[in-house]
Amino acid sequence: MLESSVVFLNTWKHACAKELTKFLSLQRDKTVICLTEVTAVAESEIARLGSNLAYNTHSETLASQVDGLKQLEMMSTTYSIIYAADHVGDMTCTMTGRRFKNVSLGSALLVRRNVVVIDQGELLIDFKLSGVSNRVVQWVAYQKGSLRYLVAHFHGVWIKGNTKGDHGIRIDQSKQVRKYLQQLKQTYRIDKVVLGGDFNLDITTQSLQLLCQGEGDDEDTYINLIRKFGITSTRTTHYRDYHDAGARLYADYVLTSKNVRVREFAVRTDLLVSDHAPLILTFT
């Protein structure tokens, strides 16, 4: 079958670990799975304090799992798993009060082992600003039939006091991501592109528009499936501001090149595996 399928999901630092594990176990038919906010604790800390303890840096949200990456090992027989950390810091377990050092927070790219992979890699976006974490773009180029596909994802920068609006940092991020995708397309002679993830952007922002349209100096235009399919929220009821009047319920997006044929697209707000909804796309 020449169809491809991909899942994009912010795991919410594995706050709903049991539900997340069940969900992922049902996604083993997907070509690519793209996950963000994946935690990983240093081996030295596991040896010292034990693994799978909960921590939480935000008192208003649920406790999370320190070593979420270990939970993904159940997928390793079906998928190759590539992990890239964009932030490393110390975190305290709210259940035990134990302090973990060098806990990573990053992205995981899972690619089915039967996929004909051309290449895969990542781009680190270093903002070189205090208090602003680096970001990672992960990607895989693969072939199905005579066509070459590029699937990429990233977790957009978070800015205190401006969680989803336009900002110079986000404008720069959009420009860097677009430029990088163009380079990958040319290098690997890519036919079709899918880009997704938790962009941390409202749907009306110039930063999102730049990702889709660029600055008018290139031919690549990406279709925003959230807008095309009339999606009104990419959040679940776990989101702390979900019931607040005027809350911004957009964060996650899937963008495709114009020649991608969408067979099915779903934003599963009914699946409470995170405060973000899984985005599931089937395409050719």
Side-chain angles (χ1 to χ4, degrees):
M1 181 181 294
L2 297 182
E3 282 188 347
S4 294
S5 52
V6 60
V7 175
F8 297 98
L9 176 63
N10 180 321
T11 68
W12 199 24
K13 302 175 187 150
H14 305 261
C16 305
K18 184 181 295 185
E19 294 82 355
L20 178 62
T21 297
K22 181 179 179 180
F23 169 74
L24 290 175
S25 69
L26 297 174
Q27 306 307 311
R28 293 180 183 272
D29 61 329
K30 302 301 185 290
T31 311
V32 182
I33 300 175
C34 301
L35 306 175
T36 55
E37 286 198 11
V38 177
T39 58
V41 68
E43 290 295 330
S44 59
E45 289 298 289
I46 293 177
R48 187 171 72 90
L49 295 175
S51 63
N52 295 324
L53 293 176
Y55 73 86
N56 187 5
T57 56
H58 302 288
S59 59
E60 71 273 17
T61 60
L62 299 176
S64 309
Q65 295 292 324
V66 169
D67 200 7
L69 183 60
K70 190 172 183 63
Q71 294 178 357
L72 300 184
E73 289 181 357
M74 65 165 184
M75 308 289 285
S76 62
T77 56
T78 309
Y79 292 87
S80 64
I81 303 173
I82 303 171
Y83 181 71
D86 52 44
H87 175 72
V88 179
D90 295 349
M91 297 181 183
T92 300
C93 170
T94 55
M95 296 176 67
T96 66
R98 290 176 174 174
R99 184 77 169 168
F100 282 83
K101 296 182 180 296
N102 301 323
V103 177
S104 301
L105 190 64
S107 298
L109 181 69
L110 284 65
V111 183
R112 277 188 65 91
R113 294 188 179 278
N114 62 354
V115 170
V116 181
V117 173
I118 300 167
D119 202 356
Q120 54 196 21
E122 63 191 52
L123 168 70
L124 176 68
I125 302 178
D126 185 354
F127 298 101
K128 295 182 173 63
L129 290 173
S130 176
V132 179
S133 299
N134 298 334
R135 294 291 150 165
V136 175
V137 180
Q138 288 187 309
W139 59 272
V140 58
Y142 64 92
Q143 186 151 352
K144 279 204 171 189
S146 61
L147 298 177
R148 292 187 167 202
Y149 295 84
L150 175 69
V151 173
H153 79 124
F154 76 101
H155 185 192
V157 65
W158 186 87
I159 303 170
K160 187 175 183 179
N162 181 0
T163 59
K164 301 293 182 291
D166 275 317
H167 189 285
I169 294 173
R170 291 193 170 110
I171 295 293
D172 180 60
Q173 176 181 253
S174 294
K175 290 179 180 179
Q176 288 195 54
V177 171
R178 275 192 66 88
K179 181 179 179 180
Y180 190 52
L181 292 180
Q182 287 177 296
Q183 292 171 345
L184 293 174
K185 281 187 64 178
Q186 293 172 3
T187 299
Y188 298 103
R189 304 190 307 280
I190 298 298
D191 298 294
K192 303 189 180 189
V193 178
V194 174
L195 170 68
D198 171 11
F199 295 170
N200 270 325
L201 292 174
D202 195 23
I203 197 167
T204 59
T205 55
Q206 181 187 0
S207 304
L208 181 59
Q209 183 69 10
L210 272 173
L211 278 173
C212 296
Q213 304 290 339
E215 297 179 282
D217 58 353
D218 61 70
E219 62 183 17
D220 291 329
T221 298
Y222 298 111
I223 296 172
N224 180 353
L225 297 189
I226 297 299
R227 187 177 289 281
K228 178 180 178 179
F229 283 81
I231 304 300
T232 57
S233 171
T234 65
R235 293 290 200 171
T236 71
T237 54
H238 280 322
Y239 179 47
R240 62 181 178 272
D241 295 332
Y242 187 86
H243 296 290
D244 292 352
R248 295 178 175 179
L249 299 181
Y250 291 105
D252 312 84
Y253 297 90
V254 176
L255 312 181
T256 68
S257 53
K258 291 183 291 186
N259 58 350
V260 168
R261 295 184 178 180
V262 176
R263 300 300 190 191
E264 185 176 357
F265 179 60
V267 178
R268 298 296 306 273
T269 55
D270 59 311
L271 297 178
L272 300 182
V273 298
S274 168
D275 62 342
H276 293 257
L279 278 56
I280 307 174
L281 171 67
T282 303
F283 61 98
T284 57

